[in-house]
Amino acid sequence: MKQACLIKLNGTVQGVGFRPFVYRLAHAHRLMGWVLNAGEGVEIWLEGEGDRLEAFRQALLDDLPAAAHIARLKVEEQNPEGYTGFRIIQSQTGGKLTAHISPDLALCPDCLAELRDPSNWRYQYPYINCTNCGPRYSIIEALPYDRPLTSMKGWQLCADCQQEYDNPLNRRFHAQPVACPMCGPSFKLLHKGQELSPALTETARLLREGAIVALKGIGGYHLACDARNPEVVQALRERKFRKEKAFALMVKDLDVADKLVYLTDDAKTLLRLVAAPIVLCPKKLELSGVAPENPGLGIMFPYTPLHYLLFDLGAPEALIMTSANHSSEPIAYKDEDALAQLKGIADAFLIGERPIVRRVDDSVLRLTRLGPIFLRRSRGFAPAALTTLPTRETLLAVGADLKNTLTLVIEGQAFVSQYLGDLEHYHSFEAFKEAIHDLCTMYDVDLADTVVLYDAHPDYYSSQYALELPAKMHLPVQHHQAHIAAVIAEKQAWKTKVLGIALDGTGYGEEGAIWGGEVFCGSLTEGFKRIAHLRYASLVGGDAAASYPVQAAAGFLAELELPDMTTEPFNFPERYLSAKDLLSKKLRVFPTTSAGRLFDTAAALLGFTRALSFEGQAAMWLEYLATGQAAEPYPFPFLDNTLDYRPLLAAIIKDRLAGRVAGQIAYAFHAGLAQGLAAMIETLAKDYSFEAIVLGGGVFQNGLLLELLSTALVKLDFPLWISQAVSANDESISLGQAAFGAFASASQQNA
Ligand code: ZN
Ligand code: ZN
Ligand code: FE
């Protein structure tokens, strides 16, 4: 007997070849009806024999296209209307826009084969793509995802492209950015005021000859140069004012990667994701100036046709590929901005005609004992919905000021934006405002009917801006509780009682204190209570001290018996003495429990006495020192709900004076932290009941600490949770705020 049903799907189902897939499937199962893109996702009307409908539904889930992801599937029984074929019909607008925007996808193997096939009409065409690959988020102007609403709207399809675009059985059926050399955009190369051609061959030559070239990619401009040429690497550092921070590389293929880093199977899997992220791997070879004082090297594979072509045309096989921006600012993505900002840095500009609608930096992952973690979640992942929250409210969470991201929640689905940089920088703050406008426009959000969440820090730019936004309600969220809530949001463990440990550099605590070593107990439904913390220290200069390890050290060492810190082996500079002076006069002194500043203090004691040139540098340096070492843990006792760092620091000073190898001291410091935390958890488990341990905050991006801590916790048998879909650092704050908002907004309204 004939039956009918309407299937409504939500998730990443637009721009990933979903409708052609459904079309082919319906034909294979001899079913009638239609499929269309709606604001909320995809709708499928099916008519046919009951068992075929059933088989279709099963195949739909089993054979999903690689980049597609179904978040929700609803089936409604219907009366047959007598359709005689199966068609793909016009997109529908209206209704709530909750369709997931597909992230940008790396070039697929089919398109790569065509790119390299001299008999193909898209041979060496740098904008080749299909429904399985190519740009998405970075070219979408509005939903639903259709060509007139993308940055490809200005290019009329030629007859050949149109034919592919219209053919449901073709790989390019409704591939919105489809183009060819006849009808699509192209690249041009500008060098010293002249246009060189052929653009790509000449770019490869310039790179070979030691030039720095600005390349327009998917989500912005990169600066590229030969990673094996120390002079050009040095020139890039000088021109970009980037003294020490590691550069990421793009390598031609696996063989090249294999020469530079140690690759595990897991690392290879990450490198080959359709998101094509940067993966931080242990160094095998030292390339001068590329990643100084760093045990790892970030590498990625080519992910656009342009990248493959440059390598095919003879570019050096390992290229530095760094975001074209100033440190802590998001990537430059507009041609005029790039030309203006990069004048004096780039020798040449390879400019593509296809406009980029929004900036998206490369994502960065590293492998740890607890699995892969994000160091930055952006291109290839944003803005996919991360999780579902139990709320019908529309929520906008604006995150924190460092490493900002936004989270928008619609119909319970949490969309986390790309990385937007540090908001104290002008371009980052502009990007932040743009992104709020962008997300709200795209999803048709009325802010007046939205709950806006922000960090409790009264001086944050993000908080002040949030309070200016029209909203149904403004709710502040404490920074470290947001860190813990972000992990819980991912696990969807709303009622689970957890012990949440948040370790980071800085966050606004109570009464103006700078927190960063906090222990909470509770759940999202019942709320969290701060039950323990790092012992308070004094911090001269507050958040500004984050750039000077010796300034942090002045406060953390204040209660210890000290030798002369200005001579061997410590050699603390003048800044330490002036900090001590301010401390004794109680001028600009703030109480702090910051674990980040404790790392800085340890680094200062081991020789990192200069200013940092990027955030988190001293802690990374310390991890680098400790890597490959072994030593007994230093004491880090837990008494009166306080983790006391004094014995830990006293042990470092003693061993330093005794001339112990710095690497061993650094290892003993890490091991001490891990063992101290484990002992604390054991003690707290006697007084409090909790079912899982949650780790949040940037300190937990330290791979060695995670390894030592998970080992120390094995005997305790608690599940250990950490952010895996977002970075543990402040990129996770907006998600945590949103999770908080899902519960807090309901209770506030009832109150
Ligand atoms: Zn493709
Ligand atoms: Zn064409
Ligand atoms: Fe934080």
Side-chain angles (χ1 to χ4, degrees):
M1 210 194 72
K2 275 220 168 176
Q3 294 178 3
C5 68
L6 178 63
I7 303 178
K8 290 184 176 175
L9 293 157
N10 192 293
T12 309
V13 289
Q14 294 188 4
V16 289
F18 199 80
R19 287 174 303 168
F21 158 68
V22 169
Y23 178 92
R24 286 191 294 269
L25 212 57
H27 276 265
H29 290 85
R30 281 175 287 148
L31 293 165
M32 311 298 149
W34 46 256
V35 58
L36 61 79
N37 269 355
E40 309 94 284
V42 164
E43 295 185 6
I44 309 168
W45 181 283
L46 291 172
E47 295 186 12
E49 303 297 326
D51 52 341
R52 287 192 196 148
L53 287 174
E54 191 45 51
F56 174 95
R57 264 143 64 173
Q58 198 51 51
L60 185 73
L61 299 176
D62 291 348
D63 306 331
L64 214 56
H69 172 75
I70 295 176
R72 280 184 199 160
L73 187 152
K74 212 168 81 188
V75 183
E76 295 167 7
E77 299 302 324
Q78 300 280 349
N79 291 322
E81 293 189 354
Y83 285 98
T84 53
F86 192 90
R87 291 191 307 135
I88 296 175
I89 58 178
Q90 199 63 35
S91 295
Q92 250 183 15
T93 46
K96 252 201 166 148
L97 295 172
T98 53
H100 298 199
I101 299 164
S102 168
D104 302 300
L105 308 168
L107 188 70
C108 76
D110 291 336
C111 286
L112 178 59
E114 291 176 358
L115 183 74
R116 288 174 168 166
D117 173 6
S119 69
N120 191 284
W121 107 84
R122 291 194 185 86
Y123 176 59
Q124 297 198 334
Y125 180 56
Y127 283 116
I128 190 171
N129 67 83
C130 73
T131 48
N132 299 318
C133 72
R136 297 288 185 275
Y137 186 45
S138 61
I139 60 162
I140 294 175
E141 289 170 353
L143 286 179
Y145 178 55
D146 259 332
R147 188 161 173 122
L149 299 177
T150 70
S151 65
M152 283 300 291
K153 62 175 183 259
W155 284 275
Q156 184 81 38
L157 292 176
C158 70
D160 290 331
C161 285
Q162 186 73 46
Q163 206 180 24
E164 290 186 322
Y165 185 87
D166 290 336
N167 177 3
L169 297 175
N170 192 283
R171 207 172 86 241
R172 296 199 170 87
F173 175 71
H174 281 230
Q176 307 307 345
V178 75
C180 78
M182 303 306 142
C183 67
S186 60
F187 276 87
K188 66 173 181 211
L189 176 66
L190 294 183
H191 179 62
K192 296 184 177 156
Q194 277 193 321
E195 192 176 332
L196 300 184
S197 77
L200 303 193
T201 312
E202 286 299 291
T203 304
R205 177 182 65 81
L206 287 176
L207 287 167
R208 254 191 337 264
E209 290 172 0
I212 297 170
V213 184
L215 304 174
K216 188 167 175 180
I218 287 277
Y221 273 83
H222 280 116
L223 287 165
C225 69
D226 184 357
R228 286 212 181 87
N229 178 339
E231 282 98 61
V232 69
V233 174
Q234 189 51 35
L236 179 61
R237 287 208 176 275
E238 282 165 14
R239 294 188 210 169
K240 211 182 170 220
F241 302 111
R242 178 150 159 158
K243 266 162 68 185
E244 296 163 306
K245 194 173 183 183
F247 287 125
L249 303 188
M250 181 176 281
V251 296
K252 187 177 180 188
D253 53 29
L254 191 65
D255 287 345
V256 180
D258 213 31
K259 283 186 234 166
L260 299 173
V261 293
Y262 294 98
L263 285 169
T264 59
D265 287 343
D266 289 341
K268 288 179 197 166
T269 305
L270 294 181
L271 281 166
R272 290 186 183 123
L273 290 175
V274 283
I278 295 169
V279 181
L280 191 61
C281 300
K283 251 183 218 170
K284 204 183 252 181
L285 204 75
E286 191 65 48
L287 297 176
S288 170
V290 173
E293 292 187 336
N294 197 318
L297 188 61
I299 57 166
M300 63 181 147
F301 284 155
Y303 58 85
T304 67
L306 175 74
H307 300 146
Y308 280 102
L309 283 172
L310 289 176
F311 287 122
D312 287 355
L313 293 168
E317 57 184 20
L319 289 172
I320 284 183
M321 200 56 97
T322 185
S323 296
N325 59 1
H326 293 284
S327 210
S328 314
E329 288 183 2
I331 193 163
Y333 74 111
K334 289 181 182 154
D335 298 337
E336 324 83 80
D337 289 353
L339 283 166
Q341 287 175 31
L342 304 176
K343 219 171 89 184
I345 300 180
D347 298 307
F349 292 84
L350 183 60
I351 302 169
E353 288 177 327
R354 185 177 68 205
I356 297 171
V357 175
R358 65 183 60 72
R359 61 185 102 223
V360 197
D361 278 82
D362 291 316
S363 294
V364 189
L365 283 152
R366 88 181 282 187
L367 282 158
T368 71
R369 177 67 72 84
L370 299 179
I373 59 165
F374 278 99
L375 301 182
R376 180 167 70 209
R377 175 190 173 275
S378 215
R379 180 187 50 75
F381 298 97
L386 271 183
T387 186
T388 335
L389 303 176
T391 181
R392 305 289 292 186
E393 290 282 357
T394 302
L395 310 172
L396 173 70
V398 301
D401 269 15
L402 289 176
K403 302 189 193 316
N404 181 271
T405 63
L406 306 169
T407 295
L408 181 66
V409 182
I410 303 170
E411 300 282 309
Q413 302 194 57
F415 302 97
V416 182
S417 80
Q418 70 274 35
Y419 159 86
L420 297 168
D422 296 348
L423 301 190
E424 63 175 16
H425 299 282
Y426 171 79
H427 286 108
S428 305
F429 191 56
E430 290 300 304
F432 165 80
K433 290 189 285 188
E434 264 171 36
I436 290 179
H437 177 77
D438 182 37
L439 276 175
C440 290
T441 311
M442 194 132 59
Y443 286 103
D444 211 8
V445 167
D446 177 8
L447 277 173
D449 198 31
T450 298
V451 178
V452 172
L453 290 307
Y454 60 98
D455 195 284
H457 200 315
D459 298 336
Y460 269 179
Y461 293 102
S462 54
S463 307
Q464 290 168 0
Y465 189 76
L467 287 167
E468 288 168 16
L469 292 172
K472 184 177 177 179
M473 195 191 302
H474 294 95
L475 290 177
V477 180
Q478 199 279 323
H479 186 94
H480 302 95
Q481 295 197 21
H483 269 307
I484 302 305
V487 183
I488 293 172
E490 226 178 87
K491 301 282 176 192
Q492 302 189 309
W494 317 123
K495 290 184 180 154
T496 310
K497 268 200 123 185
V498 305
L499 186 78
I501 305 174
L503 300 186
D504 68 358
T506 177
Y508 190 77
E510 277 160 12
E511 288 149 18
I514 296 169
W515 284 5
E518 314 309 318
V519 184
F520 300 96
C521 189
S523 67
L524 258 183
T525 46
E526 286 170 18
F528 295 103
K529 200 170 159 245
R530 185 186 189 224
I531 59 169
H533 53 82
L534 190 69
R535 182 188 169 83
Y536 277 94
S538 296
L539 189 61
V540 175
D543 286 345
S547 301
Y548 303 97
V550 294
Q551 195 167 324
F556 276 82
L557 298 174
E559 291 177 52
L560 298 181
E561 287 228 12
L562 298 174
D564 182 355
M565 299 305 289
T566 61
T567 58
E568 283 292 326
F570 301 106
N571 299 320
F572 279 10
E574 174 59 29
R575 183 171 279 272
Y576 168 75
L577 296 176
S578 44
K580 259 182 66 170
D581 189 43
L582 288 170
L583 210 57
S584 63
K585 293 178 184 149
K586 297 199 165 56
L587 282 172
R588 289 197 285 128
V589 174
F590 301 82
T592 189
T593 51
S594 164
R597 299 297 82 78
L598 176 60
F599 269 85
D600 289 352
T601 303
L605 290 172
L606 287 174
F608 201 110
T609 54
R610 61 189 195 273
L612 304 194
S613 62
F614 59 93
E615 200 251 338
Q617 186 185 11
M620 283 172 64
W621 179 85
L622 209 58
E623 184 186 353
Y624 161 68
L625 261 189
T627 302
Q629 301 282 344
E632 285 299 305
Y634 287 142
F636 185 39
F638 181 66
L639 258 179
D640 298 330
N641 296 327
T642 305
L643 283 159
D644 191 350
Y645 52 77
R646 290 173 304 174
L648 188 65
L649 296 176
I652 297 180
I653 291 171
K654 183 166 156 269
D655 279 356
R656 220 21 202 145
L657 289 169
R660 193 175 182 194
V661 177
Q664 285 180 15
I665 300 178
Y667 186 94
F669 169 77
H670 281 83
L673 290 183
Q675 201 171 72
L677 289 171
M680 173 191 80
I681 294 166
E682 209 171 346
T683 307
L684 290 174
K686 290 177 195 140
D687 298 333
Y688 298 89
S689 73
F690 46 84
E691 299 147 55
I693 313 289
V694 171
L695 307 178
V699 167
F700 290 114
Q701 294 190 320
N702 182 317
L704 178 62
L705 182 63
L706 282 182
E707 185 183 326
L708 292 166
L709 186 58
S710 58
T711 307
L713 288 177
V714 166
K715 60 176 179 171
L716 291 183
D717 206 28
F718 282 107
L720 191 57
W721 294 347
I722 185 167
S723 287
Q724 297 204 278
V726 279
S727 311
N729 64 32
D730 283 5
E731 282 180 46
S732 70
I733 291 293
S734 67
L735 177 62
Q737 291 169 344
F740 237 87
F743 292 90
S745 61
S747 62
Q748 291 257 328
Q749 273 167 7
N750 295 336

